[in-house]
Amino acid sequence: MKNYYRIIIQVFITVLAFWGLWILNDIEKVTHLLINSNFSYFLCAVIVVFFQLVLSTLRWRVFTSFYRLNFNLRELYRGVFLSFLVGHITPSSLFGEVARFQYLKTKENLTNLIKSILLERLSGQVVLLIWVLFLTPITAFYFIEEQSHLWMVLVVALLGISLVLLTYFLSKKPFINYFWVQKVKNFLEDVFRGLISQENKTHFLYSLISLLLMVLQFYFSALALNVSVSFLSLMLFFPYVLLILSVPISFGGWGVRELSSAFILLPLIQSVESITAVSFVYGISFVVALIPGLIYLLFNSCSNAFKVRSRCRG
């Protein structure tokens, strides 16, 4: 029942975000921008998604190798693809991780498979958080010069510092030595050991490149709508949007992505309608990139089902 409440809340937040976008935007202008988009740049944004899938697969292979899980690249790529696909059409990206787990699980590898999936997600989030904290002083300087929107930087900086301090103080509390919490602590310690292991440092490079590719994808989405924006400026501001999207509070990130982009990227793109349209194209490029893989999976499933029926009849 709690899961149903959570889904209802996420759908409500998504609807509320779109309602806010409806108020903030001139829908005719947004529609005009979308209709007159440049297909070549949109195709570039779609291609960038494929590279993100490959990088996520390579990053996951680092951790599956660390836990001695015998999966080939094709199996890992399919798992990552399922994670992306389900995460973009369901209320939470966590459903995508469940789909990935269900696809590859066996009785022998349950715990290590969960750890590898957690580490693959955690690697990207850690790099994103470090990137945002590193950029915060630079962004603050930019806003001080512009004398606007400084409150956004302060809020993000305080949230990041609070999270680090909370994690530190909780780790020092004696209650973690009691009952089942000790098992959770041991599990998390093993996960973090895998994250910072000398053998696994390449995953940070994959995560950093993946972050830059997401910025590049948004940049191509802007070019597709003939919206002028600097790639370096997006590297400075867009990670804040990604940090907000890492919190599963909406249906596949829709609505919240557009609304947060409208506020955070306003200093770069002086039109709410342009930001909303670019953000929408950014989300659509994910969906379009995943359609060929979805068709392949459906065709492959139907083909396997047909073979099973033929054998049964034989």
Side-chain angles (χ1 to χ4, degrees):
M1 184 62 71
K2 290 182 179 179
N3 290 333
Y4 286 116
Y5 286 142
R6 180 179 175 181
I7 292 173
I8 291 171
I9 291 172
Q10 288 174 324
V11 172
F12 174 76
I13 291 175
T14 301
V15 173
L16 190 64
F18 274 112
W19 179 71
L21 289 170
W22 182 273
I23 295 174
L24 290 172
N25 286 273
D26 184 338
I27 303 302
E28 290 185 3
K29 289 183 179 179
V30 175
T31 306
H32 177 75
L33 285 168
L34 293 174
I35 292 174
N36 295 282
S37 58
N38 185 315
F39 180 76
S40 299
Y41 284 119
F42 175 74
L43 186 60
C44 290
V46 172
I47 293 173
V48 170
V49 177
F50 286 110
F51 283 106
Q52 290 181 45
L53 288 169
V54 172
L55 279 171
S56 295
T57 302
L58 294 175
R59 183 172 63 191
W60 192 18
R61 188 177 66 168
V62 172
F63 299 117
T64 55
S65 299
F66 178 76
Y67 288 113
R68 294 177 174 83
L69 298 172
N70 296 319
F71 299 123
N72 57 44
L73 276 176
R74 184 177 181 181
E75 291 173 323
L76 294 177
Y77 183 84
R78 286 184 176 182
V80 169
F81 170 81
L82 281 173
S83 176
F84 269 66
L85 176 65
V86 177
H88 279 84
I89 62 175
T90 58
S92 172
S93 59
L94 295 177
F95 287 102
E97 306 312 327
V98 172
R100 183 184 351 187
F101 172 74
Q102 291 292 335
Y103 174 67
L104 291 175
K105 74 172 183 177
T106 64
K107 291 182 179 179
E108 292 78 18
N109 69 5
L110 289 179
T111 303
N112 286 338
L113 180 58
I114 293 173
K115 289 178 182 178
S116 70
I117 292 173
L118 285 175
L119 282 169
E120 197 274 325
R121 282 182 60 91
L122 189 61
S123 173
Q125 297 303 318
V126 167
V127 169
L128 176 60
L129 182 60
I130 293 173
W131 185 264
V132 167
L133 291 177
F134 171 74
L135 290 178
T136 296
I138 303 174
T139 315
F141 177 78
Y142 174 90
F143 280 130
I144 289 172
E145 291 293 315
E146 297 291 325
Q147 295 183 350
S148 63
H149 295 80
L150 180 59
W151 61 273
M152 278 194 287
V153 181
L154 296 177
V155 168
V156 173
L158 288 174
L159 285 175
I161 294 171
S162 300
L163 179 63
V164 173
L165 290 177
L166 180 64
T167 304
Y168 173 77
F169 285 120
L170 285 179
S171 66
K172 299 297 182 181
K173 293 294 180 181
F175 73 83
I176 61 174
N177 295 320
Y178 298 100
F179 307 114
W180 58 270
V181 185
Q182 182 64 38
K183 295 182 179 179
V184 176
K185 177 191 174 186
N186 294 336
F187 179 85
L188 293 177
E189 284 179 348
D190 187 43
V191 167
F192 279 104
R193 198 178 302 117
L195 187 69
I196 61 175
S197 170
Q198 293 291 331
E199 306 171 23
N200 296 348
K201 285 189 175 180
T202 53
H203 71 85
F204 285 119
L205 177 61
Y206 293 141
S207 296
L208 179 60
I209 297 174
S210 182
L211 173 60
L212 296 178
L213 284 179
M214 283 187 277
V215 178
L216 182 63
Q217 182 188 351
F218 195 88
Y219 177 68
F220 280 133
S221 301
L223 292 180
L225 299 178
N226 298 312
V227 175
S228 178
V229 63
S230 165
F231 178 75
L232 293 178
S233 299
L234 283 178
M235 285 179 61
L236 194 65
F237 286 88
F238 190 63
Y240 291 99
V241 178
L242 295 175
L243 187 64
I244 293 173
L245 289 178
S246 65
V247 182
I249 57 175
S250 67
F251 198 95
W254 292 97
V256 171
R257 176 180 55 241
E258 287 73 26
L259 194 61
S260 59
S261 297
F263 282 99
I264 294 175
L265 302 180
L266 194 58
L268 304 182
I269 306 172
Q270 304 296 326
S271 167
V272 176
E273 288 79 12
S274 297
I275 299 172
T276 302
V278 171
S279 183
F280 187 74
V281 169
Y282 174 83
I284 289 295
S285 63
F286 270 113
V287 177
V288 171
L290 296 173
I291 287 177
L294 176 61
I295 294 173
Y296 170 78
L297 286 178
L298 292 174
F299 178 79
N300 194 42
S301 299
C302 292
S303 177
N304 291 335
F306 179 76
K307 289 179 181 178
V308 171
R309 288 183 181 179
S310 300
R311 290 175 184 173
C312 291
R313 289 176 181 176

